[in-house]
Amino acid sequence: MQGLACAVPLPERKGKAQMMKISIVDGRNQRRLILEGKLVAPWVAELKPACESAKADLGDRELVVELKCIVAINQVGENVLLELMKEGVKFRGYGVFTRHMLRQLARRVDRNHEEMRT
């Protein structure tokens, strides 16, 4: 299993540097993008290109985006996750807040698909 991490620095707050971290972990059956920190503008803009890059040589593996230790997300972050869901990217959430947010976004995608069929 191989790993690659990309740390996107966030502005310092109360003397501590904050960041969004994107790690890539390759397995036999799937490639995981692990997101940690804050999914907020402008740093969340790194997520879509990271997903596109991760999709490049998947072969027959699946791409799964894991949200771990997410401490904040704004509307821009939700919009990027929503776009990725619409593209068929699979998600896994850790923590009550993250799982709830992913369920809400998945419902929005489902409603959108239903509206398009009618």
Side-chain angles (χ1 to χ4, degrees):
M1 203 177 320
Q2 227 177 14
L4 170 71
C6 167
V8 180
L10 299 178
E12 286 194 25
R13 187 172 173 178
K14 294 185 182 176
K16 293 184 179 180
Q18 304 199 9
M19 61 180 49
M20 179 182 79
K21 181 178 175 186
I22 303 173
S23 303
I24 300 172
V25 179
D26 277 324
R28 189 177 348 175
N29 298 320
Q30 64 182 209
R31 173 173 289 157
R32 296 180 297 140
L33 252 59
I34 302 170
L35 308 180
E36 300 173 87
K38 293 184 176 184
L39 298 177
V40 297
W43 303 280
V44 76
E46 298 296 322
L47 178 55
K48 194 133 167 103
C51 281
E52 294 302 319
S53 177
K55 288 180 191 178
D57 61 346
L58 279 176
D60 59 351
R61 297 177 296 168
E62 67 179 349
L63 177 63
V64 177
V65 176
E66 292 186 8
L67 281 70
K68 285 186 166 180
C69 301
I70 300 300
V71 295
I73 182 168
N74 66 4
Q75 190 61 52
V76 175
E78 282 188 20
N79 291 344
V80 171
L81 296 180
L82 199 56
E83 282 181 47
L84 293 171
M85 283 182 175
K86 288 177 182 177
E87 293 173 8
V89 174
K90 295 185 180 188
F91 286 83
R92 185 176 300 140
Y94 296 90
V96 175
F97 165 74
T98 304
R99 286 194 304 266
H100 175 73
M101 181 210 36
L102 288 174
R103 276 194 295 270
Q104 296 289 31
L105 292 174
R107 285 184 187 131
R108 286 172 57 188
V109 171
D110 290 342
R111 275 192 298 247
N112 192 7
H113 284 273
E114 285 296 319
E115 290 172 2
M116 293 175 78
R117 282 189 229 159
T118 59

